[in-house]
Amino acid sequence: MIKHKHITEPDAFGFQVRIVRRGKETSRYFSHKLWGSKYKSIKAAIAWRDQMLVVLKGSKTRFLKPPKNKTTTGLTGVSRTIKFDRRKDKKYLCYTVFWVCDGKSKNKTFQVGNVESITADDELHAFRTARLFRSYYEHAIDNDLPFDDGQFAGWKKKRIYDTVSTLAA
């Protein structure tokens, strides 16, 4: 049998569609006898699953805790902070992106540099990269795609947002 996401064959008599979003299960059983044949029941299960994925789109967990109303950037999941390094007695400007991976909170920090020596262009570059990182994550989770943060390695030397006009489909 061909594998279909969210569809299982728990017994020899039909297919079951199960979709879980935010801990709530939506499911339906498609009996071969009721639908007339195994082929018709799998087609009905696929059609129902596709309709439910549209209805439930965007209801996946993006945060372990609900986001706070206050934000330093105006973007959910992206914050602007100044970190203090006691060893060097210097302050560093950073943009941090927060996301959830396998039920665990993760973050990626885009450090702009020493507060005393950064330029407006440096800060804008870090902000735009952090914003793109977050939008890639949201696109991946909304469309059941794997999220790869490796493409942002070496972000200081490349301007990813200039080469990408829209999210990958």
Side-chain angles (χ1 to χ4, degrees), residues 49-87:
R49 177 209 55 198
D50 292 345
Q51 288 175 351
M52 292 312 297
L53 287 174
V54 169
V55 169
L56 298 172
K57 183 176 181 175
S59 64
K60 288 189 214 170
T61 303
R62 290 186 179 174
F63 304 97
L64 292 178
K65 300 178 217 166
K68 296 175 184 172
N69 289 337
K70 54 185 177 180
T71 176
T72 56
T73 62
L75 295 174
T76 302
V78 180
S79 71
R80 178 186 186 270
T81 56
I82 295 177
K83 295 185 179 181
F84 181 71
D85 185 349
R86 287 183 294 197
R87 293 174 297 138

Side-chain angles (χ1 to χ4, degrees), residues 95-111:
Y95 282 92
T96 307
V97 181
F98 300 92
W99 78 97
V100 177
C101 181
D102 298 325
K104 294 184 180 178
S105 182
K106 301 275 187 175
N107 67 60
K108 168 84 173 160
T109 301
F110 298 93
Q111 183 174 323

Side-chain angles (χ1 to χ4, degrees), residues 14 37 40 51 60 77 85 91 101 126 134-135 138 141:
S37 71
K40 289 179 182 176
Q51 288 175 351
K60 288 189 214 170
D85 185 349
K91 295 178 184 177
C101 181
R134 180 66 191 192
S135 66
E138 290 179 356
I141 198 166

Side-chain angles (χ1 to χ4, degrees), residues 1-150:
M1 180 181 135
I2 299 172
K3 297 270 185 185
H4 296 283
K5 192 165 187 167
H6 303 293
I7 300 176
T8 59
E9 193 172 13
D11 54 39
F13 307 108
F15 294 102
Q16 181 177 15
V17 180
R18 289 184 68 232
I19 302 169
V20 179
R21 294 291 186 269
R22 295 190 183 199
K24 184 178 177 193
E25 179 181 317
T26 305
S27 67
R28 186 168 171 192
Y29 186 80
F30 294 85
S31 166
H32 302 325
K33 186 176 181 181
L34 183 68
W35 287 91
S37 71
K38 192 172 184 175
Y39 176 77
K40 289 179 182 176
S41 65
I42 189 68
K43 288 297 176 191
I46 291 170
W48 187 81
R49 177 209 55 198
D50 292 345
Q51 288 175 351
M52 292 312 297
L53 287 174
V54 169
V55 169
L56 298 172
K57 183 176 181 175
S59 64
K60 288 189 214 170
T61 303
R62 290 186 179 174
F63 304 97
L64 292 178
K65 300 178 217 166
K68 296 175 184 172
N69 289 337
K70 54 185 177 180
T71 176
T72 56
T73 62
L75 295 174
T76 302
V78 180
S79 71
R80 178 186 186 270
T81 56
I82 295 177
K83 295 185 179 181
F84 181 71
D85 185 349
R86 287 183 294 197
R87 293 174 297 138
K88 296 180 181 178
D89 195 34
K90 293 185 180 179
K91 295 178 184 177
Y92 295 94
L93 177 63
C94 303
Y95 282 92
T96 307
V97 181
F98 300 92
W99 78 97
V100 177
C101 181
D102 298 325
K104 294 184 180 178
S105 182
K106 301 275 187 175
N107 67 60
K108 168 84 173 160
T109 301
F110 298 93
Q111 183 174 323
V112 181
N114 187 343
V115 172
E116 297 170 5
S117 63
I118 60 171
T119 65
D121 184 55
D122 293 336
E123 184 173 355
L124 181 62
H125 171 55
F127 173 70
R128 291 179 74 187
T129 305
R131 185 176 63 186
L132 184 67
F133 185 97
R134 180 66 191 192
S135 66
Y136 270 37
Y137 165 71
E138 290 179 356
H139 176 77
I141 198 166
D142 285 344
N143 293 290
D144 285 327
L145 301 171
F147 176 62
D148 176 29
D149 61 342

